[in-house]
Amino acid sequence: MYAVFCLLLVIAGVESQPTVVKCIPDGALRGTRVQVGADSHVDMFLRIPYARPPIGDLRFQKPLAPVAWSGVRDATQLGPQCPQRPSPGTVVQLPNSEDCLFLNVYTPKPLSSEPMPVMVWIHGGGYMTGAGNVFNGTQLAARGVVVVTINYRLDALGFLSTEDGASPGNYGLWDMIRALEWVRDSISAFKGDPSDVTIFGESAGSGAVSLLIMSTAAKGLFHKAIMESGVSLGDWAVAYPGVDPKPRERAVKLASEVGCETADSAHMVTCLRAKDAMDIINATTDMFLSVVANDTRLQFRPVVETTFGQSGVFAATPDVVLENGWFANVTTIRGFNSREYAIFFAPDQGGMTVEEFREKAKTFVRQNMAQSFFDVGIERITDQLVDAYLVKPNITDPIQRRAAAIELQSDFIFVAPTIRELQLTNKFPAPPQYLYRFSYRSPNRLTKPWQGAIHADELHYVFGYPLSNRFLFNPFVSNWTDEDRRVSQEVLSLWTNFAKYGNPTPNGNNEVKWLPWTPALPSYLNVGSVPTLQATDQSKLAKVKAMMDIINTIHDKSIDALIG
């Protein structure tokens, strides 16, 4: 009876375009058909629930499967974003609601009866802000893939951990896993292939993709992965056990801020469940602003929770997982932008003296490591960084010192962990692992030329916004150029080819063949105005080693190694 009912709905939907109806196991959906080109279209189905609303007793719990509905659910409008602090640069502004566990599906006109590859997008935002809703997947889908964008719980609502069974944490990660289970069970209704799923993300979303590769709970739910500016080995990506500030300490601080008892975990979590969601977000915002001058690490983030008496996301910390080969054996793309950390440099920043460079490095060290080491440790690390980034390269020009300061901070947060993850992955038999460096900067980019391609610049090109004359963030460019559109076409082809074939350049791409990264041939694709294959030079690999030695020491809390 249900199948016949759905068939009638689909027939009615086709006759009443531009809306269209699909039937999934949970019920019927009415979406919107968008024309793309003369003879193609993409169907959009928005605000699809993949889990029950995480409210009341379901706050600080793993997500549950959604409840089926009767009739036809409207899927033509975007849903709300999960509760978060304001993000004024985002073009699409959405209301906050704790009832936010929705996803959006973009499915193209099928070119054959064969199911299509699926790409599942995990947004960034430091685990504190963002929404899958603001990313329009039409241009990606138009190239023959089914695109899914998801929301997940953020900030304390998504990552509060008492480091015991009362609130183990990782609810945002469990949301991602639940969304992937939904894809496994329902994406075939949209002509998607549940056995050919690529997960991809940027910044914290990229770190989350990397963590899902490390996760036993996500095993088998995806088959390829793309990581844009973030991996599991980044010091910010996951809270390592024993490394300050401890997750429980931050949970206790939050509880105290909103008037909850803090001595007993169970009572504390029960009290927090009764608080207004935005009161919690506002309290975490105040907490963040009070410490940001001394500690820039994320307040509420994923944790390694396997010691908390419940089945966890991870079997061990990411470094241990990688060292032992316990990760998902999937083909990947990893990469970063040319000057990631220039986003945090003032546009009028001039050249730097040696003393200014050292103070910049020391401040960066203090903000990222102060609560893990004594002051002597900070001084020693600063000496190591000055040696690696100024002395050995023999940099004497003030402008080059500024570039070195950007490189140092970009390496710590993004570049060194990415390359180290590739090195560890390649210790074991593995499918191809690709590396890129996005260096393209629009001639109309509204930043200083010396800032290069900063953090998140690639997103507009990955989602084809120059082709549809849209923007994710304002201000970005004064207007899109033909060169912008050409570069976006290139990136769209690379990403969707990877999703389709596991190879971003199966037939070459503008006469460039993107080769996998290996220790013997550490090549990467430089995505500039014209993509070129380049080799990672030995000086960069030496800097990566020096930086990863420092990051590993942070994880190990081995102060003796620093002052010895």
Side-chain angles (χ1 to χ4, degrees):
M1 291 292 293
Y2 176 74
V4 172
F5 172 69
C6 281
L7 178 61
L8 292 173
L9 286 173
V10 171
I11 293 172
V14 169
E15 291 177 349
S16 59
Q17 289 179 356
T19 62
V20 62
V21 174
K22 294 283 186 185
C23 293
I24 64 174
D26 294 323
L29 297 162
R30 186 181 302 280
T32 304
R33 177 160 291 176
V34 178
Q35 198 69 25
V36 181
D39 58 354
S40 187
H41 64 256
V42 171
D43 293 336
M44 301 188 304
F45 297 86
L46 311 175
R47 197 174 179 169
I48 306 172
Y50 69 83
R52 297 181 196 180
I55 58 179
D57 289 343
L58 296 184
R59 183 187 285 177
F60 308 128
Q61 297 278 8
K62 293 180 185 179
L64 299 177
V67 176
W69 59 85
S70 58
V72 182
R73 179 184 174 89
D74 179 60
T76 63
Q77 302 295 320
L78 291 171
Q81 63 188 12
C82 292
Q84 58 189 270
R85 61 197 65 172
S87 223
T90 304
V91 172
V92 178
Q93 295 290 324
L94 299 166
N96 287 319
S97 173
E98 202 169 359
D99 181 5
C100 62
L101 299 187
F102 301 110
L103 53 76
N104 313 293
V105 178
Y106 299 81
T107 184
K109 177 182 179 180
L111 298 179
S112 72
S113 60
E114 295 296 316
M116 291 176 282
V118 181
M119 299 184 73
V120 179
W121 174 249
I122 301 176
H123 69 81
Y127 304 123
M128 295 180 287
T129 62
N133 298 345
V134 305
F135 295 88
N136 188 294
T138 300
Q139 290 294 333
L140 276 167
R143 281 149 182 81
V145 296
V146 177
V147 177
V148 180
T149 67
I150 69 170
N151 291 348
Y152 57 91
R153 282 173 283 180
L154 302 164
D155 210 302
L157 297 171
F159 296 97
L160 180 133
S161 174
T162 56
E163 296 190 86
D164 57 28
S167 180
N170 286 343
Y171 308 111
L173 290 179
W174 285 115
D175 292 344
M176 299 171 200
I177 292 169
R178 169 87 274 279
L180 290 171
E181 291 171 342
W182 183 95
V183 169
R184 177 195 62 198
D185 298 336
S186 301
I187 205 64
S188 58
F190 302 90
K191 305 301 182 184
D193 185 352
S195 66
D196 192 5
V197 175
T198 298
I199 57 174
F200 68 130
E202 184 267 345
S203 194
S206 179
V209 167
S210 182
L211 291 174
L212 291 173
I213 293 174
M214 310 297 145
S215 171
T216 54
K219 185 177 181 180
L221 294 174
F222 60 92
H223 314 91
K224 295 184 278 290
I226 301 174
M227 288 152 275
E228 304 170 25
S229 303
V231 295
S232 69
L233 291 182
D235 189 54
W236 52 268
V238 63
Y240 274 66
V243 175
D244 296 330
K246 298 179 179 65
R248 178 175 175 79
E249 292 174 357
R250 290 192 161 171
V252 167
K253 173 65 174 173
L254 169 62
S256 177
E257 291 288 324
V258 298
C260 287
E261 177 191 343
T262 61
D264 180 83
S265 292
H267 291 159
M268 179 170 68
V269 172
T270 297
C271 179
L272 286 170
R273 285 194 176 112
K275 297 296 180 180
D276 180 79
M278 288 311 298
D279 286 345
I280 290 176
I281 298 300
N282 291 335
T284 66
T285 300
D286 292 341
M287 288 168 57
F288 179 80
L289 294 175
S290 70
V291 301
V292 72
N294 296 313
D295 181 4
T296 61
R297 285 171 297 170
L298 306 176
Q299 287 200 38
F300 294 96
R301 53 180 168 166
V303 297
V304 178
E305 84 289 46
T306 54
T307 60
F308 303 161
Q310 298 186 21
S311 176
V313 175
F314 307 109
T317 58
D319 53 350
V320 172
V321 170
L322 285 162
E323 289 283 359
N324 288 279
W326 297 338
F327 49 87
N329 196 28
V330 297
T331 304
T332 67
I333 291 175
R334 293 177 178 87
F336 40 78
N337 294 352
S338 62
R339 293 199 168 182
E340 294 271 5
Y341 213 81
I343 192 174
F344 299 109
F345 278 62
D348 58 353
Q349 170 78 53
M352 301 177 75
T353 66
V354 174
E355 292 74 20
E356 287 172 332
F357 179 94
R358 180 180 177 81
E359 189 57 36
K360 190 82 170 177
K362 185 175 180 179
T363 299
F364 182 74
V365 169
R366 184 181 295 112
Q367 288 175 330
N368 286 277
M369 312 176 196
Q371 297 190 48
S372 297
F373 296 102
F374 301 121
D375 286 343
V376 66
I378 294 174
E379 293 291 345
R380 182 63 176 272
I381 293 173
T382 303
D383 289 341
Q384 292 175 337
L385 294 176
V386 171
D387 182 66
Y389 286 83
L390 279 191
V391 177
K392 287 181 178 175
N394 193 28
I395 291 177
T396 58
D397 179 73
I399 298 299
Q400 290 181 350
R401 288 194 200 102
R402 179 185 64 192
I406 295 171
E407 181 186 18
L408 182 157
Q409 294 171 92
S410 300
D411 282 358
F412 179 86
I413 296 176
F414 302 108
V415 179
T418 298
I419 293 178
R420 181 57 178 159
E421 202 166 285
L422 278 169
Q423 291 171 332
L424 290 172
T425 300
N426 275 272
K427 285 174 54 180
F428 304 92
Q433 311 288 305
Y434 296 92
L435 178 66
Y436 75 87
R437 177 179 181 266
F438 185 87
S439 63
Y440 178 73
R441 183 182 179 279
S442 170
N444 288 344
R445 183 72 171 96
L446 297 174
T447 54
K448 296 293 184 181
W450 62 263
Q451 291 178 294
I454 63 177
H455 190 59
D457 267 14
E458 88 287 358
L459 288 176
H460 280 93
Y461 304 93
V462 168
F463 281 88
Y465 278 61
L467 306 178
S468 53
N469 201 31
R470 298 170 182 248
F471 297 94
L472 273 170
F473 311 115
N474 275 330
F476 191 78
V477 296
S478 54
N479 58 277
W480 295 115
T481 68
D482 287 343
E483 185 179 31
D484 295 333
R485 286 183 277 272
R486 179 178 55 76
V487 170
S488 186
Q489 291 274 22
E490 292 276 1
V491 175
L492 284 162
S493 293
L494 293 169
W495 263 229
T496 55
N497 278 341
F498 178 79
K500 293 174 185 177
Y501 313 114
N503 183 340
T505 55
N507 302 309
N509 192 29
N510 280 353
E511 300 181 357
V512 171
K513 182 71 174 177
W514 188 353
L515 300 177
W517 190 99
T518 66
L521 185 63
S523 60
Y524 65 92
L525 189 73
N526 183 59
V527 184
S529 180
V530 177
T532 57
L533 191 69
Q534 299 182 8
T536 309
D537 61 68
Q538 292 302 310
S539 63
K540 171 56 75 175
L541 292 175
K543 291 175 182 175
V544 166
K545 183 181 185 307
M547 191 64 77
M548 285 310 303
D549 286 344
I550 291 169
I551 294 173
N552 290 336
T553 305
I554 296 170
H555 295 168
D556 295 339
K557 293 199 69 177
S558 178
I559 295 173
D560 290 342
L562 292 174
I563 64 177

